Amino acid sequence: MLNSPHFSTKERILGAAEELFARNGFAGASLRELTSTAKVNLAAVNYHFGSKDNLVNEVFRRRLDELSAQRLDALKTVQTRPDATLEDILAAFIHPALLLSLDKSGGSTFVRVLARAYAEHNERLRKYLSENYGYVLKEFAAAFGAQLPHLDKEELYWRIDIIAGALTYAMADFGVIKRRAAMSEKIHRERAAEHLIRFAAAGLRAE
Protein backbone atom coordinates (compact mmCIF):
# COMPACT_ATOMS: atom_id res chain seq x y z
CA MET A 1 0.00 0.00 0.00
CA LEU A 2 2.88 2.38 0.80
CA ASN A 3 4.15 2.03 -2.78
CA SER A 4 0.83 2.81 -4.42
CA PRO A 5 1.11 5.58 -7.04
CA HIS A 6 -2.00 7.13 -5.48
CA PHE A 7 -0.04 7.88 -2.30
CA SER A 8 1.89 11.15 -2.22
CA THR A 9 5.50 11.13 -1.07
CA LYS A 10 4.43 12.73 2.22
CA GLU A 11 1.79 10.05 2.82
CA ARG A 12 4.28 7.28 2.03
CA ILE A 13 6.69 8.72 4.58
CA LEU A 14 3.95 9.03 7.19
CA GLY A 15 2.76 5.47 6.57
CA ALA A 16 6.27 4.09 6.81
CA ALA A 17 6.96 6.10 9.97
CA GLU A 18 3.76 4.84 11.56
CA GLU A 19 4.74 1.21 10.90
CA LEU A 20 8.30 1.69 12.16
CA PHE A 21 7.27 3.61 15.29
CA ALA A 22 4.72 0.91 16.09
CA ARG A 23 7.32 -1.84 15.70
CA ASN A 24 10.52 -0.23 17.01
CA GLY A 25 9.44 2.76 19.10
CA PHE A 26 10.32 6.38 18.44
CA ALA A 27 13.98 6.20 19.40
CA GLY A 28 14.46 2.78 17.81
CA ALA A 29 13.20 3.72 14.34
CA SER A 30 16.07 5.17 12.32
CA LEU A 31 15.81 7.59 9.41
CA ARG A 32 17.73 5.06 7.29
CA GLU A 33 15.00 2.46 7.91
CA LEU A 34 12.37 5.08 7.20
CA THR A 35 13.77 6.14 3.84
CA SER A 36 14.22 2.50 2.84
CA THR A 37 10.66 1.53 3.81
CA ALA A 38 9.07 4.60 2.19
CA LYS A 39 11.41 4.35 -0.82
CA VAL A 40 12.39 8.01 -0.60
CA ASN A 41 15.64 9.83 0.05
CA LEU A 42 16.56 11.77 3.17
CA ALA A 43 16.07 15.06 1.35
CA ALA A 44 12.37 14.22 0.90
CA VAL A 45 11.96 13.61 4.64
CA ASN A 46 13.71 16.89 5.45
CA TYR A 47 11.65 18.76 2.85
CA HIS A 48 8.28 17.59 4.19
CA PHE A 49 9.04 17.45 7.91
CA GLY A 50 12.32 19.18 8.69
CA SER A 51 13.22 16.85 11.55
CA LYS A 52 12.38 13.49 13.07
CA ASP A 53 10.58 15.22 15.94
CA ASN A 54 8.31 17.04 13.49
CA LEU A 55 7.68 13.76 11.69
CA VAL A 56 6.58 12.15 14.97
CA ASN A 57 4.25 15.10 15.58
CA GLU A 58 2.73 14.77 12.13
CA VAL A 59 2.10 11.03 12.56
CA PHE A 60 -0.04 11.89 15.57
CA ARG A 61 -1.65 14.96 14.03
CA ARG A 62 -3.07 13.22 10.98
CA ARG A 63 -4.97 10.73 13.19
CA LEU A 64 -5.70 12.78 16.32
CA ASP A 65 -7.13 15.83 14.53
CA GLU A 66 -9.93 13.67 13.14
CA LEU A 67 -10.37 11.64 16.33
CA SER A 68 -10.61 14.82 18.40
CA ALA A 69 -13.22 16.30 16.07
CA GLN A 70 -15.29 13.11 16.18
CA ARG A 71 -15.17 12.99 19.96
CA LEU A 72 -16.18 16.62 20.37
CA ASP A 73 -18.99 16.29 17.82
CA ALA A 74 -20.30 13.25 19.71
CA LEU A 75 -20.04 15.13 23.01
CA LYS A 76 -21.88 18.12 21.58
CA THR A 77 -24.69 15.83 20.42
CA VAL A 78 -24.92 14.25 23.88
CA GLN A 79 -25.03 17.64 25.57
CA THR A 80 -28.08 18.71 23.56
CA ARG A 81 -30.07 16.02 25.37
CA PRO A 82 -31.49 16.97 28.78
CA ASP A 83 -31.53 13.29 29.80
CA ALA A 84 -27.87 12.62 28.91
CA THR A 85 -26.15 10.22 31.30
CA LEU A 86 -22.58 9.62 32.40
CA GLU A 87 -22.58 6.55 30.16
CA ASP A 88 -23.53 8.70 27.16
CA ILE A 89 -20.55 10.99 27.77
CA LEU A 90 -18.26 7.99 28.14
CA ALA A 91 -19.58 6.57 24.87
CA ALA A 92 -18.72 9.86 23.12
CA PHE A 93 -15.17 9.52 24.43
CA ILE A 94 -14.71 5.79 23.88
CA HIS A 95 -16.55 4.82 20.68
CA PRO A 96 -14.63 7.08 18.23
CA ALA A 97 -11.34 5.77 19.61
CA LEU A 98 -12.33 2.13 19.22
CA LEU A 99 -13.58 2.83 15.70
CA LEU A 100 -10.12 4.18 14.87
CA SER A 101 -8.68 0.77 15.72
CA LEU A 102 -10.93 -0.71 13.00
CA ASP A 103 -9.73 1.72 10.33
CA LYS A 104 -8.20 -0.37 7.56
CA SER A 105 -5.96 2.48 6.34
CA GLY A 106 -3.48 2.14 9.18
CA GLY A 107 -5.70 2.81 12.18
CA SER A 108 -4.69 -0.36 13.97
CA THR A 109 -1.01 0.46 13.40
CA PHE A 110 -1.51 3.92 14.84
CA VAL A 111 -3.09 2.40 17.95
CA ARG A 112 0.20 0.62 18.60
CA VAL A 113 2.02 3.92 18.10
CA LEU A 114 -0.32 5.49 20.64
CA ALA A 115 0.44 2.69 23.08
CA ARG A 116 4.14 3.43 22.58
CA ALA A 117 3.51 7.06 23.50
CA TYR A 118 2.02 5.91 26.81
CA ALA A 119 4.81 3.43 27.48
CA GLU A 120 7.84 5.54 26.52
CA HIS A 121 8.87 8.45 28.73
CA ASN A 122 9.16 10.97 25.89
CA GLU A 123 8.58 14.34 27.55
CA ARG A 124 8.77 16.27 24.28
CA LEU A 125 6.03 14.14 22.75
CA ARG A 126 3.89 14.33 25.88
CA LYS A 127 4.22 18.13 25.83
CA TYR A 128 3.18 18.24 22.16
CA LEU A 129 0.13 16.04 22.78
CA SER A 130 -0.88 18.04 25.85
CA GLU A 131 -0.53 21.39 24.12
CA ASN A 132 -2.36 20.34 20.96
CA TYR A 133 -5.02 17.90 22.24
CA GLY A 134 -5.36 18.68 25.93
CA TYR A 135 -8.38 20.85 25.14
CA VAL A 136 -10.36 17.72 24.23
CA LEU A 137 -9.73 16.21 27.65
CA LYS A 138 -10.75 19.49 29.30
CA GLU A 139 -14.09 19.47 27.45
CA PHE A 140 -14.80 15.94 28.59
CA ALA A 141 -13.57 16.65 32.11
CA ALA A 142 -16.06 19.51 32.35
CA ALA A 143 -18.86 17.24 31.13
CA PHE A 144 -17.90 14.48 33.56
CA GLY A 145 -17.54 16.99 36.38
CA ALA A 146 -21.08 18.28 35.85
CA GLN A 147 -22.33 14.72 36.37
CA LEU A 148 -20.01 14.06 39.34
CA PRO A 149 -20.16 17.02 41.72
CA HIS A 150 -18.80 14.88 44.57
CA LEU A 151 -15.36 14.68 42.92
CA ASP A 152 -12.79 17.45 43.24
CA LYS A 153 -10.76 18.36 40.15
CA GLU A 154 -7.66 16.35 41.09
CA GLU A 155 -9.62 13.19 41.83
CA LEU A 156 -11.63 13.59 38.61
CA TYR A 157 -8.47 13.86 36.50
CA TRP A 158 -6.92 10.83 38.21
CA ARG A 159 -9.95 8.77 37.25
CA ILE A 160 -10.09 10.10 33.68
CA ASP A 161 -6.39 9.33 33.27
CA ILE A 162 -6.96 5.74 34.37
CA ILE A 163 -9.90 5.42 31.94
CA ALA A 164 -7.76 6.78 29.08
CA GLY A 165 -5.12 4.14 29.85
CA ALA A 166 -7.72 1.37 29.91
CA LEU A 167 -9.09 2.64 26.60
CA THR A 168 -5.65 2.54 24.98
CA TYR A 169 -5.24 -1.02 26.26
CA ALA A 170 -8.61 -1.99 24.75
CA MET A 171 -7.81 -0.26 21.45
CA ALA A 172 -4.55 -2.18 21.16
CA ASP A 173 -6.37 -5.43 21.97
CA PHE A 174 -3.75 -6.46 24.51
CA GLY A 175 -6.26 -8.20 26.78
CA VAL A 176 -6.62 -11.84 27.67
CA ILE A 177 -10.09 -11.93 26.07
CA LYS A 178 -9.52 -12.52 22.37
CA ARG A 179 -12.01 -12.26 19.56
CA ARG A 180 -13.76 -15.54 18.83
CA ALA A 181 -13.37 -16.82 15.29
CA ALA A 182 -17.11 -16.58 14.65
CA MET A 183 -17.29 -12.95 15.83
CA SER A 184 -16.49 -9.98 13.59
CA GLU A 185 -13.89 -7.46 14.68
CA LYS A 186 -16.60 -4.78 14.78
CA ILE A 187 -18.77 -6.78 17.20
CA HIS A 188 -15.72 -7.61 19.32
CA ARG A 189 -14.89 -3.89 19.63
CA GLU A 190 -18.51 -3.05 20.45
CA ARG A 191 -18.44 -5.61 23.26
CA ALA A 192 -15.20 -4.09 24.51
CA ALA A 193 -16.81 -0.64 24.48
CA GLU A 194 -19.84 -1.85 26.43
CA HIS A 195 -17.68 -3.42 29.14
CA LEU A 196 -15.35 -0.42 29.32
CA ILE A 197 -18.21 2.09 29.57
CA ARG A 198 -19.88 0.11 32.35
CA PHE A 199 -16.60 -0.30 34.24
CA ALA A 200 -15.56 3.35 33.77
CA ALA A 201 -18.95 4.66 34.88
CA ALA A 202 -18.74 2.66 38.10
CA GLY A 203 -15.21 3.93 38.73
CA LEU A 204 -16.20 7.55 38.13
CA ARG A 205 -19.24 7.31 40.40
CA ALA A 206 -17.40 5.63 43.28
CA GLU A 207 -17.33 7.61 46.50
Side-chain angles (χ1 to χ4, degrees):
M1 182 167 62
L2 291 175
N3 299 325
S4 166
H6 299 294
F7 270 43
S8 68
T9 299
K10 184 176 181 180
E11 285 296 315
R12 288 210 316 277
I13 295 170
L14 285 170
E18 202 168 61
E19 290 180 5
L20 289 172
F21 294 154
R23 187 165 67 242
N24 301 331
F26 304 107
S30 70
L31 288 177
R32 173 181 285 184
E33 286 179 297
L34 174 62
T35 54
S36 174
T37 302
K39 294 191 176 357
V40 299
N41 56 36
L42 186 58
V45 177
N46 290 331
Y47 172 77
H48 287 288
F49 303 102
S51 69
K52 185 178 178 182
D53 284 346
N54 287 338
L55 172 60
V56 172
N57 293 349
E58 190 68 11
V59 165
F60 280 90
R61 190 197 66 76
R62 73 166 180 162
R63 302 286 186 189
L64 293 184
D65 279 3
E66 183 177 359
L67 175 59
S68 296
Q70 290 172 347
R71 279 174 156 168
L72 291 176
D73 284 347
L75 178 61
K76 188 181 298 183
T77 298
V78 167
Q79 290 176 321
T80 63
R81 294 166 36 202
D83 61 340
T85 65
L86 181 61
E87 285 81 1
D88 294 327
I89 299 169
L90 281 164
F93 185 72
I94 288 169
H95 279 297
L98 286 177
L99 284 174
L100 173 61
S101 66
L102 294 173
D103 184 349
K104 300 301 183 186
S105 62
S108 60
T109 302
F110 176 73
V111 168
R112 298 200 303 276
V113 176
L114 191 60
R116 286 275 189 181
Y118 272 85
E120 294 187 11
H121 296 289
N122 186 324
E123 291 304 319
R124 189 209 61 79
L125 177 56
R126 290 186 181 191
K127 183 172 184 289
Y128 170 80
L129 294 175
S130 176
E131 289 177 349
N132 288 274
Y133 301 102
Y135 72 96
V136 179
L137 186 61
K138 287 179 181 177
E139 291 286 339
F140 276 92
F144 288 134
Q147 296 264 346
L148 303 161
H150 66 290
L151 297 181
D152 62 34
K153 185 175 181 180
E154 182 179 359
E155 181 62 28
L156 177 63
Y157 271 88
W158 267 110
R159 297 186 190 194
I160 293 173
D161 200 38
I162 291 167
I163 291 167
L167 174 57
T168 303
Y169 186 86
M171 290 168 69
D173 203 19
F174 288 147
V176 295
I177 299 175
K178 300 302 181 185
R179 178 173 64 88
R180 295 197 300 269
M183 181 182 292
S184 71
E185 186 67 28
K186 183 173 183 295
I187 296 297
H188 178 67
R189 296 291 180 177
E190 288 173 355
R191 293 270 183 91
E194 290 170 6
H195 283 282
L196 182 53
I197 289 168
R198 190 159 57 246
F199 183 82
L204 287 170
R205 288 193 177 107
E207 295 295 335

